Amino acid sequence: MERRITPRQEDYSRWYLDVIREADLAENAPVRGCMVIKPYGYRIWEGVRDGLDRRFRETGHQNAYFPLFIPMSFLQKEAEHVEGFAPELAVVTIGGGKELEEPLVVRPTSETIIGYMYSKWIQSYRDLPVLINQWANVVRWELRTRPFLRTMEFLWQEGHTAHATAEEAMEETLRMLDVYADFAIRDAAIPVIKGRKSDREKFAGAVASYTIEAMMGNGWALQAGTSHYLGDNFARAFDIKYLAPDNEVKYCHTTSWGMSTRMVGAIIMTHGDDQGLRLPPVLAPIQVVIVPIWRQEQERAAVLGLADQVRQMLADGGVRVHLDAREDQTPGFKFNDWEMRGVPVRIEIGPRDVQNNAIVLARRDRPGREGKIFGVPVPSALERVRELLAEVQQGLLEQATAFREANTHTVTDYETFKEVIEEAGGFIRAYWAGTSEDEARIQEETKATLRCFPLDQPEEEGRCFLTGAKTRQIAIFARAY
RNA sequence: CGGGGUGUGGCGCAGACCGGUAGCGCGCAGCGUUUGGGACGCUGAAGUCAGAGGUUCAAGUCCUCUCACCCCGACCA
């Protein structure tokens, strides 16, 4: 047997690239740093999109679309914003064969052009809040890229809202952080830590940035979604003002929040094992694959007949099911193939099952025979499959949570911190009262960054592991993508 | 931008020191036998050897230049 996927232990980033190739999710494009998302990978993204879009509607947001090109001067209106993004801008200077009067930036994010429009749309407190989301591609000129995790062009949604008061805007910021966490946990089965970013790590132009941080299979952290409270920074830069009930002109308070195709990378790296991908049933393009098995020609029709009957039953019940009737592949090959592609549940139907009017169920989150259930009566198939899908969904979340807990360490001094990062890896929870400079030094010396200050903070006071100062503030540190 | 490496059928590689008919594995196509955990046999298709220039009777192989990609570093919402 040829080994197609490098074991995680041997080389984690090779494993990641192998899984993407073997599961047929994406491949590199002829343009450096860009990728082609293939149909199977794109369907996972569509699952992410649908899960988020439904939640956005439920929280009162509407979709709209703003242009890809942004006048360079717009970015320059917010000092911190342009400074943060300048190094990774793609700029169009020629159009229609002629040098442009003003260069156009290919959007790295849309705060500026949306701010510009909001200033025209908003006159009165009666126009507020404005709650808009856009699904779009953005471009950031990255030096080091990895499929899904960091590419020069990526797909995402960016929500942009404007509110009358700081309180309302802050509520919105945290509400959308909750939406992301809910999606990550319930749909993607990824346990995440909600937290606030340090000043060093926050969005260029934000007052405060919030994040959901997830732990990948190698113990590294991944920022899986962010929500920013922008204060009135962009309102001042773009003149987003309204007339309040007291007849006073006031600046709006704005927010922005985004989740990207990086989420697909998070799913791969949270759940994947040495067999390949493992997909949470809620997002799996194919939730159940049926593999028919026959030995002799006369068994064929009966097996395929039952297989199709079961397929129809499940499809009618709303299950995303696929019957793999390929005749040029053996059942064994198909088992491995669909495991590699992460399908949560497999049904095996052979001559023996036809005789018993039963099927065999196998779950992806438990390897080999242990995950198989024999002799499931056909009439109860739909019900049993539904139960099993729910169990797999739950099982993946539990496994990921247990892994994160097992790889989260508490430290109280810098020496231990360095040891843990170097040897054990994973997340470090520690009291922190250091400065941005201290943070930079830690990154330099250990490659670990301050991922976030979790929203759940302890009551007790402790001592900063670096400075020894008394503080109530806990921070999470880790190496990150 | 600095250091290192690699470019040969779709993919992974050998061939290069020592110049002489371009090969192997996987994949692909056809036919047959197979099929409860990655099947096998036979037949077949497919290569501007990254590009340009040079040396030579003869270049994948030697020389010069160029390009692309990968890894490490620097940089980084």
Side-chain angles (χ1 to χ4, degrees):
Chain A
M1 185 184 84
E2 192 199 346
R3 195 174 62 191
R4 296 192 168 95
I5 297 177
T6 307
R8 285 168 299 172
Q9 206 70 50
E10 193 180 308
D11 183 341
Y12 195 77
S13 65
R14 274 262 301 281
W15 168 85
Y16 178 72
L17 296 171
D18 288 347
V19 170
I20 288 171
R21 186 188 65 244
E22 292 301 324
D24 211 24
L25 302 179
E27 62 185 64
N28 281 323
V31 181
R32 187 191 67 82
C34 295
M35 68 169 172
V36 175
I37 305 177
K38 300 179 79 175
Y40 194 62
Y42 198 77
R43 281 177 71 189
I44 299 173
W45 170 240
E46 287 177 317
V48 172
R49 221 179 50 187
D50 294 347
L52 289 175
D53 210 53
R54 176 172 60 76
R55 288 170 170 83
F56 295 160
R57 278 199 306 277
E58 284 168 5
T59 44
H61 301 84
Q62 289 186 294
N63 287 331
Y65 187 77
F66 298 84
L68 172 68
F69 298 122
I70 301 177
M72 180 64 109
S73 59
F74 280 29
L75 268 88
Q76 289 160 345
K77 288 188 180 181
E78 216 287 337
E80 216 176 282
H81 191 65
V82 69
E83 194 191 324
F85 279 104
E88 43 186 353
L89 293 180
V91 183
V92 178
T93 57
I94 296 172
K98 280 195 218 142
E99 184 99 4
L100 300 177
E101 293 268 322
E102 180 182 353
L104 295 172
V105 171
V106 179
R107 67 178 161 224
T109 179
S110 302
E111 276 76 7
T112 57
I113 195 157
I114 292 180
Y116 172 85
M117 296 309 297
Y118 280 8
S119 73
K120 301 170 86 165
W121 295 349
I122 298 166
Q123 309 288 328
S124 150
Y125 72 95
R126 295 180 205 275
D127 298 325
L128 296 172
V130 175
L131 306 174
I132 284 180
N133 176 64
Q134 98 163 334
W135 290 95
N137 57 338
V138 288
V139 169
R140 297 179 186 180
W141 211 263
E142 302 286 353
L143 297 176
R144 291 290 276 284
T145 60
R146 277 171 208 272
F148 292 110
L149 297 179
R150 172 164 294 142
T151 47
M152 295 224 304
E153 180 190 5
F154 56 94
L155 307 182
W156 76 346
Q157 56 70 216
E158 44 179 328
H160 295 270
T161 69
H163 306 263
T165 65
E167 293 70 33
E168 277 178 45
M170 185 54 94
E171 266 174 43
E172 168 79 2
T173 305
L174 295 174
R175 178 181 308 118
M176 300 322 287
L177 188 71
D178 283 340
V179 162
Y180 288 149
D182 184 70
F183 168 80
I185 293 166
R186 289 174 52 184
D187 290 14
I190 298 175
V192 291
I193 295 173
K194 291 188 284 185
R196 183 174 54 81
K197 282 290 181 189
S198 69
D199 284 350
R200 231 175 136 253
E201 299 273 332
K202 79 176 200 295
F203 177 74
V207 172
S209 287
Y210 296 84
T211 176
I212 51 171
E213 293 287 326
M215 184 188 286
M216 303 296 99
N218 60 349
W220 287 31
L222 183 77
Q223 176 177 297
T226 44
S227 187
H228 312 292
Y229 169 62
L230 304 174
D232 60 11
N233 289 351
F234 285 86
R236 286 178 185 275
F238 289 91
D239 215 32
I240 312 172
K241 292 185 289 200
Y242 69 98
L243 198 58
D246 58 8
N247 213 35
E248 291 261 343
V249 174
K250 294 180 179 169
Y251 282 112
C252 288
H253 287 74
T254 63
T255 80
S256 66
W257 25 275
M259 187 178 273
S260 72
T261 35
R262 172 182 270 193
M263 191 66 195
V264 177
I267 291 165
I268 299 166
M269 296 181 107
T270 299
H271 302 305
D273 66 12
D274 286 350
Q275 288 353 294
L277 196 58
R278 298 197 303 171
L279 291 172
V282 173
L283 294 177
I286 297 172
Q287 295 172 309
V288 177
V289 65
I290 302 174
V291 177
I293 300 153
W294 65 83
R295 222 182 257 284
Q296 284 135 28
E297 190 56 27
Q298 64 264 34
E299 294 167 340
R300 205 187 101 138
V303 165
L304 281 179
L306 179 59
D308 195 60
Q309 182 194 328
V310 172
R311 185 196 63 76
Q312 192 64 52
M313 187 191 296
L314 296 181
D316 289 346
V319 176
R320 293 191 289 276
V321 57
H322 172 70
L323 170 58
D324 185 354
R326 284 180 291 179
E327 306 214 352
D328 50 351
Q329 303 291 0
T330 61
F333 177 89
K334 293 178 184 176
F335 293 172
N336 286 287
D337 194 38
W338 292 110
E339 275 170 9
M340 209 149 58
R341 288 165 156 262
V343 174
V345 170
R346 178 180 69 240
I347 294 177
E348 304 169 14
I349 298 178
R352 290 205 293 273
D353 304 298
V354 171
Q355 260 180 1
N356 303 330
N357 198 39
I359 59 174
V360 177
L361 294 177
R363 53 192 292 178
R364 176 65 177 88
D365 64 333
R366 296 200 190 150
R369 218 175 165 80
E370 187 203 325
K372 287 199 186 186
I373 308 163
F374 296 89
V376 175
V378 168
S380 66
L382 177 60
E383 195 194 334
R384 293 300 301 276
V385 162
R386 279 182 173 152
E387 284 168 11
L388 195 53
L389 287 172
E391 280 174 40
V392 173
Q393 182 80 22
Q394 188 61 28
L396 289 177
L397 179 62
E398 279 166 11
Q399 287 174 38
T401 307
F403 180 83
R404 188 188 67 187
E405 295 315 313
N407 289 284
T408 298
H409 310 91
T410 302
V411 309
T412 52
D413 65 277
Y414 192 33
E415 277 313 303
T416 315
F417 182 103
K418 286 190 217 171
E419 274 175 39
V420 170
I421 285 294
E422 197 52 47
E423 281 151 42
F427 286 4
I428 289 183
R429 277 177 68 89
Y431 280 101
W432 175 253
T435 61
S436 290
E437 289 70 37
D438 294 331
E439 216 182 304
R441 198 184 103 209
I442 287 175
Q443 177 171 6
E444 188 143 326
E445 292 175 1
T446 68
K447 307 261 188 226
T449 51
L450 199 170
R451 302 314 303 156
C452 70
F453 302 108
L455 297 189
D456 285 331
Q457 286 284 335
E459 292 295 314
E460 317 83 61
E461 199 173 51
R463 284 185 182 278
C464 172
F465 77 89
L466 190 76
T467 65
K470 284 191 172 180
T471 176
R472 286 185 193 283
Q473 180 172 256
I474 286 269
I476 305 274
F477 287 84
R479 286 187 180 161
Y481 281 104

